[in-house]
């Protein structure tokens, strides 16, 4: 601290007072009855809460010093407010936006659920061991009672009350078209995965476009605001030139019209930036008005060397084409399965039961054997299913030719 300086706080009573001219060092404390123009500076002019003033400085200099410090404090407050505002806005790169959208976008989540449902549906026809186990319970009151003479007492053939608990296991061991069933299952699962990949590719494309649209909209808003500043500066110049007699009065309305058009352009550009922000937040699964700070991408996308190379790359990797090819493979296998569905099949069947005993039936019973089944006539079901499968196959092939 400089020698002979005074320290003040005007929120309460002054802490210390300036040293007197006869003192070489230190500060003298103010007494309650001290009467001086330095006692409550804030009552005379707006001094900052805590300031240093040299001893003997004129009062007008103190006021100018206070104004300068107030301006500095105001600048610091504005800088802090802008820093907090920037902290509220999320800084987001294009890669971060894509990652967040793939995790939080509702449409992407729906595509994943759709893929899971398609896998479950395909698993129903998967040609693996799927035994069926059936439990049957039966309780009857029947009559009249039927007996059979045997020895001293008659044997009961048809009891008055009858209960039975049975368990039956059925497992197919042979069915025509197992190879076609495997081909259809694998193709269906792969097509379901391509459905999810297509949704992800579409989402990445939309997020990248929305990100660049927001950058463009904010640049256009900045250009519009700069244009408004130029238009206002031109209007001020025209008015000064009219006052100086260097321009006609009719030039003022023309300049005012330019300012009005520039203001309208700023409004439109601001609305465009808000719409672009809302679209990006929608794709990210965020609230539409959440602030986002976007940065310019530093990596340019890779572009194929020629249109032919790009077309070949698209034909090999586009999810739509891969999905159509898988669906065609599944439809071919389905046509084969529809044609052989009436062919003979063999199953293993096992049964056991606990029941009310009678003269000719024991209380426990079991059986194991093979079951042979063949639908010789099925009412035209095989023909109808085969025709439907062939029509579906032709439709998919036509869609693939159109896509390619």
């Amino acid at each position: 601290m400089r020698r002979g300086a005074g320290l003040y706080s005007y929120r309460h009573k002054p802490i210390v007072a300036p040293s007197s001219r006869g003192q070489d060092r230190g500060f003298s404390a103010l007494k309650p009855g001290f009467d001086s123009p330095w006692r409550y500076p804030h009552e005379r002019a707006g001094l900052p809460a805590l300031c240093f003033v040299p001893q003997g400085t004129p009062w007008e200099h103190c006021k100018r010093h206070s104004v300068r410090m107030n301006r500095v404090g105001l600048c610091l407050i504005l800088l802090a407010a802008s820093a907090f505002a920037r902290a509220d806005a999320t800084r987001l790169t294009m890669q971060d936006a894509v990652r967040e959208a793939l995790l939080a976008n509702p449409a992407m989540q729906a595509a994943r659920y759709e893929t899971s449902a398609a896998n479950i549906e395909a698993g129903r026809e998967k040609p693996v061991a799927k035994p069926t186990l059936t439990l049957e319970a039966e309780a009857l009151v029947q009559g009249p009672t039927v007996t059979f003479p045997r020895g001293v007492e008659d044997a009961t053939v048809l009891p008055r009350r009858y209960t039975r608990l049975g368990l039956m296991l059925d497992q197919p061991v042979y069915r025509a078209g197992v190879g076609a069933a495997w081909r259809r299952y694998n193709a269906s699962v792969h097509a379901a995965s391509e459905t999810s990949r297509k949704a992800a590719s579409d989402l990445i494309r939309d997020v990248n476009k929305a990100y660049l649209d927001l950058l463009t909209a904010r640049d256009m808003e900045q250009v519009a605001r700069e244009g408004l500043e130029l238009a206002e500066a031109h209007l001020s110049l025209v008015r000064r030139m009219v006052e100086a007699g260097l321009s006609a009065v009719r030039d003022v309305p023309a300049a005012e019209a330019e300012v009005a058009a520039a203001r309208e352009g700023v409004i439109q550009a601001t609305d465009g930036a808000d719409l672009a922000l809302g679209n990006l937040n929608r794709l990210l699964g965020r609230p539409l008005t959440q602030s986002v700070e976007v940065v310019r991408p530093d990596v340019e996308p890779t572009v194929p060397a020629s249109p032919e190379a790009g077309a070949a790359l698209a034909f090999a990797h586009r999810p739509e084409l891969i999905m159509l090819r898988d669906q065609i493979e599944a439809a071919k296998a389905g046509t084969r399965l529809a044609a052989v569905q009436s062919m003979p099949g063999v199953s293993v069947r096992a049964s056991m039961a606990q029941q009310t005993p009678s003269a000719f039936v024991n209380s426990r019973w079991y059986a194991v054997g093979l079951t042979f089944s063949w639908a010789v006539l099925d009412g035209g079901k095989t023909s109808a299913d085969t025709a439907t499968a062939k029509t579906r196959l032709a439709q998919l092939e036509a869609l693939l030719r159109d896509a390619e």
Side-chain angles (χ1 to χ4, degrees), residues 186-382:
N186 293 329
S188 299
V189 171
H190 197 262
S193 65
E194 290 301 322
T195 302
S196 180
R197 196 167 75 90
K198 177 182 179 300
S201 299
D202 293 342
L203 180 61
I204 292 173
R205 178 201 61 200
D206 294 342
V207 169
N208 288 338
K209 184 178 182 302
Y211 192 94
L212 296 177
D213 287 345
L214 180 57
L215 279 173
T216 303
R218 288 183 173 175
D219 287 345
M220 293 177 64
E221 181 182 6
Q222 180 65 26
V223 171
R225 294 186 184 279
E226 293 176 356
L228 176 59
E229 294 177 359
L230 291 176
E232 291 175 344
H234 180 254
L235 175 60
S236 178
L237 176 61
V238 169
R239 285 174 176 171
R240 290 197 301 269
M241 292 180 66
V242 170
E243 291 175 358
L246 300 177
S247 181
V249 179
R250 64 176 180 272
D251 294 337
V252 175
E256 291 176 346
E258 292 178 357
V259 172
R263 287 175 180 170
E264 182 180 0
V266 169
I267 294 174
Q268 293 178 354
T270 303
D271 292 342
D274 292 340
L275 289 175
L277 175 62
N279 185 38
L280 180 59
N281 282 329
R282 177 185 64 84
L283 294 172
L284 298 180
R286 296 181 173 186
L288 298 181
T289 57
Q290 182 174 344
S291 299
V292 176
E293 181 185 354
V294 292
V295 295
R296 299 185 181 278
D298 53 357
V299 179
E300 295 183 357
T302 303
V303 179
S306 64
E308 293 77 11
L313 188 64
F315 289 151
H317 298 284
R318 273 186 61 187
E320 300 92 332
L321 298 179
I322 298 176
M323 183 174 60
L324 280 174
R325 296 188 187 103
D326 291 334
Q327 290 176 351
I328 288 174
E329 182 66 23
K332 290 179 178 179
T335 303
R336 169 64 179 166
L337 289 174
V340 301
Q341 63 178 323
S342 61
M343 298 296 290
V346 179
S347 301
V348 174
R349 181 170 297 175
S351 301
M352 62 179 300
Q354 181 76 26
Q355 59 191 359
T356 302
S358 64
F360 303 107
V361 178
N362 199 344
S363 61
R364 294 180 180 178
W365 172 85
Y366 66 89
V368 178
L370 295 177
T371 302
F372 177 83
S373 60
W374 186 6
V376 180
L377 295 176
D378 59 358
K381 183 178 183 302
T382 300

Side-chain angles (χ1 to χ4, degrees), residues 3-174:
R3 179 177 179 181
L7 178 64
Y8 294 87
S9 171
Y10 69 86
R11 292 185 179 178
H12 305 286
K13 292 183 179 181
I15 301 174
V16 293
S19 302
S20 62
R21 294 184 180 273
Q23 294 174 337
D24 294 332
R25 294 180 178 275
F27 301 92
S28 60
L30 289 179
K31 299 181 179 179
F34 186 78
D35 187 14
S36 171
W38 296 85
R39 183 176 183 183
Y40 297 108
H42 64 286
E43 296 178 356
R44 302 176 180 272
L47 285 174
L50 191 64
C51 64
F52 293 96
V53 290
Q55 167 144 12
T57 303
W59 183 249
E60 294 298 327
H61 291 181
C62 292
K63 291 174 65 179
R64 289 195 297 270
H65 177 71
S66 173
V67 170
R68 285 196 300 269
M69 293 197 67
N70 283 335
R71 289 177 180 175
V72 172
L74 179 61
C75 292
L76 292 176
I77 293 173
L78 292 177
L79 288 175
S82 62
F84 282 117
R86 287 193 299 270
D88 293 337
T90 305
R91 188 178 184 275
L92 197 68
T93 64
M94 184 178 290
Q95 293 78 11
D96 294 337
V98 169
R99 284 192 291 268
E100 183 175 344
L102 290 176
L103 293 176
N105 183 265
M108 191 63 210
Q109 295 175 357
R112 293 191 184 99
Y113 290 133
E114 182 181 359
T115 300
S116 299
N119 289 332
I120 295 172
E121 186 67 24
R124 292 181 179 179
E125 303 297 331
K126 187 177 181 180
V128 294
K130 296 179 180 179
T132 59
L133 186 63
T134 306
L135 177 65
E136 294 181 352
E138 184 180 12
L140 300 176
V141 177
Q142 55 190 359
T145 303
V146 178
T147 61
F148 180 78
R150 187 177 63 180
V152 179
E153 297 181 357
D154 294 339
T156 302
V157 178
L158 184 63
R160 178 68 175 176
R161 293 180 177 84
Y162 175 78
T163 57
R164 183 178 184 273
L165 182 64
L167 196 63
M168 185 175 64
L169 177 68
D170 194 356
Q171 170 62 54
V173 294
Y174 171 77

